[in-house]
Amino acid sequence: MSYLDRDVFFKAPQQILLGFAGIILAGTFILMLPFVTRSGHSTNFLDALFTATSAVCVTGLTTVSTIGHWNMFGQAVILLMIEIGGLGFMSLPFLYFTLTKRKINLSMRMILKDTLNTFDISGTVSLMLAIFRIAFIIQFLGFLLLSVDFIPRYGWEKGLWYSFFHAVSSFCNAGFDLFDNSLISFQNDPWILMVISFLIIAGGLGFIVWQDLLKNKTLRKLRLHSQITLKVTGLLLVLSSIFFFFTNTVGSNPLSRLSNVFFLAVTPRTAGFFSIDYATMSHAGLVLTMILMFIGGSSGSTAGGFKTTTLGIILIKLYSVIRGRSKAQYKGRTIKENTISQAFMLFFIFLIMIISSTMILSVTETIPNVDQLGLEYIVFEVISAMGTVGLSLGLSAHLTWIGKLVLIFLMFIGRVGILTMIFSTINQTHKRETNYKYPEENVIIG
């Protein structure tokens, strides 16, 4: 690799950060214009910035009502930012290069590699094309399935718009809705809940997994990343569904209850839609929801969070240690120590950021006396922002300006990625592996 190539590589994380920030700022200034609101009045900078960040970072937390504050043009701007944020900010220049039949240069390929979380620069263009195809097919299918319910309910014009908006928002795991109470009105509509769940899972699995599934007919031939993703995702869905089944009785009939239970297990990872008021949920249910929000979706997907593969790597390592093995092995493969180190690093950085943000908001924000909620009122919102989930106990609508800035920062970090942020601030060109080793010494732990 030449010096020029290395320079391009090391600048990729900074370009990813600047790309997302640029789209957020552009969206902010558009949302500040008076003709995108229902009232015809301009929106203040902080609320516009919060909404734009939430849309691009596919979170769903809002300080103003999406249906009540923004007109259809404003909603369309938000939806465009959701799509760009879900597919990655490089989707726009890639689409331009593809339509104009221009050659995609090395610099762009390196940024695509980092954006897609792939290990090799080769195949990034074909993967990006596959992403467009998969996203279009799944979102179009979701649009058709939702329109079966929404068109008879709202009429053609409103029904088509609602179907399109929520298909995109669901697949991108954004959580923005046009009902002002998310999906509470659809508690007893299993069709809507299951279609939305399908879209959330489809977007949260990741494009690499979808490409792998389409190429291979049997699960055994899937790459290790896909196998871990599918197994962890399936395990989380089954276990959390069972838990919510015995702790929640929402739904007027057995089918409705089952669909709501499954929806409770799906939406925290990391969609942000809700069919019940989380302020009325049991404390055990809130704890499980926060754990699911923390874990999030899969790497290389529209979802945020700690990621299922990262959790899987840590569990594999812990199992290997318990078995007395020095190497983390799974399915006849050995996990690289560098990957394991990054997984543990991500876990602790996530915890540190959640704890520090909670401490700041516990000073700046007021905890209302709602259903005996305490500090979890703030912790829930912090994890939701960090995991780009969008679920809320009601804090977002009453944030101080400091609280809004804290959540904006968390949403941005959660979408861009902690590793991208770290690598963008470290000059890796000066990174050197030491050629010497210090004497080892034991330290008492436990």
Side-chain angles (χ1 to χ4, degrees):
M1 180 181 289
S2 67
Y3 175 80
L4 178 60
D5 292 347
R6 289 197 302 268
D7 186 55
V8 170
F9 173 77
F10 292 132
K11 287 182 178 179
Q14 289 93 330
Q15 293 185 47
I16 293 174
L17 253 68
L18 291 174
F20 273 104
I23 295 171
I24 289 172
L25 288 177
T28 298
F29 289 121
I30 294 175
L31 293 179
M32 289 177 66
L33 300 174
F35 62 82
V36 301
T37 64
R38 291 188 180 274
S39 63
H41 297 102
S42 60
T43 305
N44 68 75
F45 173 76
L46 201 52
D47 283 330
L49 176 64
F50 193 98
T51 304
T53 305
S54 184
V56 175
C57 298
V58 289
T59 305
L61 291 174
T62 57
T63 55
V64 295
S65 170
T66 305
I67 186 65
H69 185 79
W70 312 106
N71 59 24
M72 190 171 180
F73 184 77
Q75 294 164 16
V77 172
I78 291 172
L79 194 65
L80 178 61
M81 288 190 288
I82 289 172
E83 189 75 88
I84 294 173
L87 299 181
F89 86 97
M90 285 300 294
S91 57
L92 282 181
F94 180 84
L95 186 62
Y96 170 76
F97 272 66
T98 303
L99 293 177
T100 56
K101 297 182 178 180
R102 296 190 178 187
K103 185 177 180 181
I104 298 176
N105 56 30
L106 177 62
S107 176
M108 188 172 180
R109 290 173 186 268
M110 296 303 269
I111 300 173
L112 281 173
K113 184 184 78 71
D114 278 27
T115 303
L116 299 173
N117 286 326
T118 58
F119 299 106
D120 195 358
I121 192 173
S122 62
T124 53
V125 174
S126 60
L127 176 58
M128 199 67 191
L129 289 172
I131 287 174
F132 275 99
R133 287 194 295 266
I134 292 169
F136 173 79
I137 292 171
I138 295 177
Q139 289 178 103
F140 183 71
L141 179 60
F143 163 74
L144 293 178
L145 295 175
L146 290 176
S147 64
V148 171
D149 189 294
F150 285 161
I151 290 177
R153 188 189 297 264
Y154 298 112
W156 280 98
E157 183 179 349
K158 190 175 181 179
L160 288 173
W161 174 240
Y162 274 37
S163 300
F164 180 66
F165 186 96
H166 292 95
V168 174
S169 182
S170 301
F171 176 76
C172 293
N173 282 223
F176 278 84
D177 68 272
L178 300 178
F179 304 114
D180 223 15
N181 63 349
S182 196
L183 301 180
I184 290 180
S185 302
F186 299 89
Q187 256 183 26
N188 297 311
D189 192 335
W191 178 262
I192 292 297
L193 294 182
M194 295 311 294
V195 171
I196 296 291
S197 296
F198 157 73
L199 289 168
I200 293 169
I201 294 172
L205 280 179
F207 301 107
I208 296 175
V209 175
W210 275 109
Q211 187 187 43
D212 209 8
L213 287 170
L214 294 173
K215 282 185 176 180
N216 299 284
K217 296 181 180 180
T218 61
L219 294 177
R220 292 181 180 179
K221 293 183 179 180
L222 297 178
R223 66 183 73 182
L224 188 61
H225 166 83
S226 300
Q227 293 187 41
I228 294 175
T229 296
L230 292 172
K231 289 192 176 182
V232 174
T233 299
L235 187 64
L236 289 173
L237 287 175
V238 171
L239 293 180
S240 53
S241 295
I242 293 173
F243 177 87
F244 284 125
F245 180 81
F246 289 105
T247 57
N248 290 275
T249 57
V250 62
S252 59
N253 55 68
L255 180 60
S256 178
R257 184 184 177 189
L258 287 174
S259 60
N260 276 276
V261 163
F262 185 69
F263 193 75
L264 285 172
V266 171
T267 190
R269 309 178 36 252
T270 55
F273 293 104
F274 55 92
S275 60
I276 69 168
D277 184 359
Y278 276 91
T280 63
M281 182 180 278
S282 65
H283 285 79
L286 287 177
V287 171
L288 177 58
T289 301
M290 285 189 280
I291 292 173
L292 293 175
M293 290 195 299
F294 181 91
I295 296 171
S298 304
S299 299
S301 72
T302 62
F306 178 61
K307 300 294 191 303
T308 54
T309 44
T310 314
L311 174 64
I313 292 298
I314 290 178
L315 294 177
I316 291 171
K317 179 62 177 178
L318 292 177
Y319 179 75
S320 299
V321 171
I322 293 172
R323 295 288 300 270
R325 299 171 180 170
S326 59
K327 300 290 184 181
Q329 298 174 335
Y330 182 74
K331 295 288 183 180
R333 296 290 186 271
T334 300
I335 310 297
K336 292 183 178 180
E337 286 300 319
N338 183 53
T339 303
I340 297 172
S341 299
Q342 288 184 351
F344 278 100
M345 180 182 70
L346 283 173
F347 178 76
F348 286 109
I349 292 178
F350 253 78
L351 284 181
I352 291 170
M353 295 195 70
I354 289 171
I355 293 171
S356 58
S357 299
T358 300
M359 292 176 65
I360 294 172
L361 294 184
S362 65
V363 175
T364 63
E365 311 305 312
T366 302
I367 301 177
N369 185 20
V370 180
D371 296 301
Q372 299 180 341
L373 290 176
L375 190 61
E376 62 268 29
Y377 183 76
I378 292 177
V379 178
F380 193 93
E381 210 87 5
V382 167
I383 297 177
S384 181
M386 186 70 185
T388 69
V389 182
L391 293 177
S392 175
L393 292 178
L395 178 62
S396 292
H398 308 286
L399 287 169
T400 62
W401 68 270
I402 297 178
K404 291 177 182 179
L405 290 176
V406 170
L407 291 194
I408 287 172
F409 176 75
L410 290 176
M411 289 188 290
F412 185 74
I413 295 297
R415 182 64 187 104
V416 172
I418 291 177
L419 291 179
T420 301
M421 178 64 73
I422 292 174
F423 293 150
S424 69
T425 57
I426 297 176
N427 186 0
Q428 294 193 16
T429 57
H430 298 299
K431 179 181 175 181
R432 294 288 184 273
E433 192 71 38
T434 56
N435 296 320
Y436 52 87
K437 181 179 179 181
Y438 290 110
E440 292 182 350
E441 183 174 346
N442 289 325
V443 177
I444 301 174
I445 60 174

